[in-house]
Amino acid sequence: MLGLPDHVRACLFDLDGVLTQTAKVHAAAWKEMFDGYLRERAAREGTAFVPFDAVGDYDEYVDGRPREDGVRTFLAARGVHLPEGSPDDPPEAETVNGLGTRKNNLVLRRIREDGVEPYEGSVRFVQAVRQAGLRSAVVSSSANCRDVLVAAGIEELFDERIDGIVARERELHGKPAPDTYLEAARVLGMEPGAAAVFEDALAGVEAGRAGRFGMVVGVDRMGQAEQLRAHGADIVVRDLAELLESR
């Protein structure tokens, strides 16, 4: 009925790009933040400014990762290593946390100005999951996860939420480590083999494979089906509604 194996009794969904149309908002905010910083740094050091690629760099270094990991990983690829700072750092601080705060402020501004739209096919699929008696959870690296769910009007569709705030409180490693997905399965009372992971990010698909979940569904919103398969997706769909249509 859901296009899933019979042994799957719970569904664990990434947020941005799977449930809501916010992946493009995050990509734009990362580009605005990194381009601003890289331009400042290039002017200061007298070097060439090389902009952040909102497709290639986003997919490779930041998509699906906790915010600070994204800052750290991308800058390391450019040979830049900044002090960590602290979560209280202001956006003008030249630290990993400071740049993370700057990016988060940009995301929040865009969400306030433009709102949040869920993917209609994903809403239909989650509703079908619930009607079939399966458990459901959102697993997101974002500390703004609940705000986005509320803004999209879909918070009530999920039994549990493991987000950036919960991960920090419980000291869970972020994607591509499987910790947050494993925690979601645990709080739902499921073994990993009885849960399916739904991800559009390469790091998230890696997390699903590393956690030995019963199924890893790659959601291809960006034309990267082959990369999703290479990173561990069992199947790849363009939209979750395809799973309903496959019955």
Side-chain angles (χ1 to χ4, degrees):
M1 162 174 154
L2 297 169
L4 303 174
D6 291 341
H7 62 267
V8 169
R9 303 303 306 158
C11 294
L12 314 178
F13 300 91
D14 177 46
L15 178 66
D16 303 312
V18 173
L19 298 173
T20 58
Q21 300 181 43
T22 40
K24 59 187 176 183
V25 176
H26 282 277
W30 279 113
K31 179 168 178 58
E32 184 176 349
M33 182 276 287
F34 275 131
D35 281 2
Y37 174 68
L38 293 172
R39 191 176 285 107
E40 295 166 6
R41 188 179 181 94
R44 186 172 70 226
E45 298 182 351
T47 57
F49 163 61
V50 180
F52 177 84
D53 186 324
V55 177
D57 288 335
Y58 178 74
D59 290 344
E60 182 71 20
Y61 302 116
V62 302
D63 189 21
R65 300 177 188 268
R67 194 184 312 141
E68 287 73 28
D69 287 353
V71 172
R72 196 182 302 109
T73 303
F74 170 70
L75 290 181
R78 293 291 184 92
V80 178
H81 302 278
L82 297 180
E84 287 295 308
S86 75
D88 298 326
D89 281 0
E92 61 271 15
E94 193 172 358
T95 63
V96 169
N97 278 274
L99 293 185
T101 299
R102 190 185 305 188
K103 181 263 175 179
N104 192 51
N105 289 349
L106 292 170
V107 165
L108 293 176
R109 186 198 75 202
R110 288 171 181 267
I111 288 174
R112 283 195 305 269
E113 292 176 355
D114 303 330
V116 176
E117 290 293 326
Y119 286 101
E120 187 272 338
S122 296
V123 174
R124 284 172 50 208
F125 183 79
V126 179
Q127 289 171 337
V129 163
R130 295 181 67 82
Q131 289 167 5
L134 276 62
R135 307 296 304 284
S136 61
V138 178
V139 182
S140 171
S141 300
S142 175
N144 305 314
C145 179
R146 183 177 182 276
D147 292 336
V148 171
L149 290 172
V150 170
I154 58 174
E155 183 187 20
E156 300 305 317
L157 292 179
F158 303 95
D159 300 306
E160 297 288 347
R161 183 184 76 252
I162 303 297
D163 59 13
I165 295 173
V166 173
R168 180 171 293 174
E169 291 172 348
R170 301 182 190 177
E171 299 182 343
L172 304 173
H173 293 294
K175 306 168 190 178
D179 300 33
T180 50
Y181 276 116
L182 291 172
E183 179 68 2
R186 185 191 70 78
V187 298
L188 290 176
M190 299 286 171
E191 292 296 324
V197 166
F198 299 80
E199 266 284 355
D200 73 315
L202 302 182
V205 167
E206 285 185 34
R209 176 56 55 222
R212 299 180 180 274
F213 287 90
M215 188 175 195
V216 180
V217 179
V219 183
D220 179 24
R221 307 286 191 193
M222 304 288 292
Q224 56 178 5
E226 289 308 312
Q227 296 99 309
L228 289 166
R229 290 189 185 95
H231 283 258
D234 294 305
I235 64 169
V236 176
V237 297
R238 296 290 298 272
D239 188 90
L240 295 189
E242 292 176 27
L243 295 170
L244 299 176
E245 295 159 4
S246 69
R247 14 180 207 185

